[in-house]
Amino acid sequence: GAVVSQHPSWVICKSGTSVKIECRSLDFQATTMFWYRQFPKQSLMLMATSNEGSKATYEQGVEKDKFLINHASLTLSTLTVTSAHPEDSSFYICSARADNEQFFGPGTRLTVL
Amino acid sequence: AQSVTQLGSHVSVSEGALVLLRCNYSSSVPPYLFWYVQYPNQGLQLLLKYTSAATLVKGINGFEAEFKKSETSFHLTKPSAHMSDAAEYFCAVTKRSTGGFKTIFGAGTRLFVKA
């Protein structure tokens, strides 16, 4: 199946700093990628749909100015958590669609101190 | 609107016993349904999917699920549990949205396997 990678796999940052997470489709092109957030022992919550060459579509309640999404190419989408705070600590997972199936990245563990 | 409900946040079985994880969906149109497995600190791995072909779907690792429209269910089963099956399992439905599709996940069921 298709492979989706994420970088970094984990990151620790200080409160107030910004963190960028990359999501790449390694062997296919993805016009649409998705960003999810998962709190401990909870399900995945869709944050936004990232569309190549256009603005991302954010789910209700997700601050687009805080979670900046850029889908600059058919194989790369980035999520930037701006001015991170401890409550932003979470597991962030991206996915991309190919052949009517979603493939998920391994996730990025963000810890904000 | 499409959604999924997973009954039971935790399920515990003995090694070798039947595994049954329950999922009910609500959908106004025939849905695409999925089961994913997640091991600690990892992403999701697709176990199987239903896309309106055969109602009994076989997946990886010996898992299968049956789509029952009359019961709006898509329960996941495995005849004999293995210790390595201990993980979090998510049922999901694909929902059409502006610009395409998106996947909505159930709350998840953690499977414990006792020796």
Side-chain angles (χ1 to χ4, degrees):
Chain A
V3 179
V4 176
S5 71
Q6 280 184 243
H7 179 80
S9 55
W10 59 270
V11 57
I12 301 173
C13 69
K14 293 181 179 180
S15 185
T17 61
S18 294
V19 175
K20 179 185 286 187
I21 303 170
E22 294 185 347
C23 176
R24 295 183 183 272
S25 55
L26 296 185
D27 49 2
F28 66 102
Q29 294 182 331
T31 55
T32 302
M33 290 183 174
F34 304 88
W35 286 97
Y36 293 85
R37 182 175 182 177
Q38 185 180 31
F39 289 106
K41 300 183 180 181
Q42 294 188 28
S43 187
L44 281 73
M45 299 300 297
L46 181 64
M47 298 174 66
T49 303
S50 171
N51 304 296
E52 188 269 336
S54 65
K55 292 182 179 180
T57 303
Y58 290 82
E59 295 298 302
Q60 190 173 9
V62 178
E63 300 176 61
K64 59 183 178 183
D65 293 331
K66 179 164 187 64
F67 299 99
L68 300 179
I69 292 173
N70 186 4
H71 195 155
S73 76
L74 288 172
T75 59
L76 173 65
S77 175
T78 61
L79 168 68
T80 301
V81 183
T82 62
S83 186
H85 290 281
E87 57 265 29
D88 299 324
S89 299
S90 189
F91 195 52
Y92 293 88
I93 302 175
C94 74
S95 76
R97 287 185 66 84
D99 299 328
N100 291 321
E101 184 174 328
Q102 268 188 259
F103 297 91
F104 289 82
T108 297
R109 171 77 57 196
L110 170 63
T111 301
V112 185
L113 301 177
Chain B
Q2 287 99 324
S3 68
V4 289
T5 302
Q6 291 183 242
L7 302 176
S9 59
H10 298 84
V11 170
S12 181
V13 300
S14 298
E15 190 173 22
L18 171 71
V19 175
L20 171 61
L21 305 182
R22 300 177 185 274
C23 174
N24 287 88
Y25 70 91
S26 63
S27 175
S28 57
V29 297
Y32 284 8
L33 291 161
F34 306 82
W35 274 100
Y36 291 90
V37 61
Q38 184 182 34
Y39 296 98
N41 294 311
Q42 295 186 27
L44 274 67
Q45 181 181 10
L46 179 67
L47 281 176
L48 48 82
K49 62 180 177 181
Y50 167 75
T51 58
S52 73
T55 56
L56 181 62
V57 182
K58 293 187 183 297
I60 62 171
N61 301 340
F63 285 94
E64 62 181 38
E66 185 173 7
F67 174 74
K68 291 187 177 180
K69 185 177 180 180
S70 61
E71 299 177 7
T72 61
S73 69
F74 190 58
H75 302 333
L76 180 71
T77 60
K78 182 174 180 177
S80 177
H82 192 272
M83 296 297 287
S84 61
D85 294 326
E88 187 86 18
Y89 292 81
F90 293 97
C91 182
V93 63
T94 295
K95 169 183 176 181
R96 180 181 285 275
S97 65
T98 304
F101 293 87
K102 58 184 178 182
T103 299
I104 306 300
F105 290 86
T109 298
R110 181 163 296 278
L111 175 65
F112 296 92
V113 182
K114 299 175 291 186

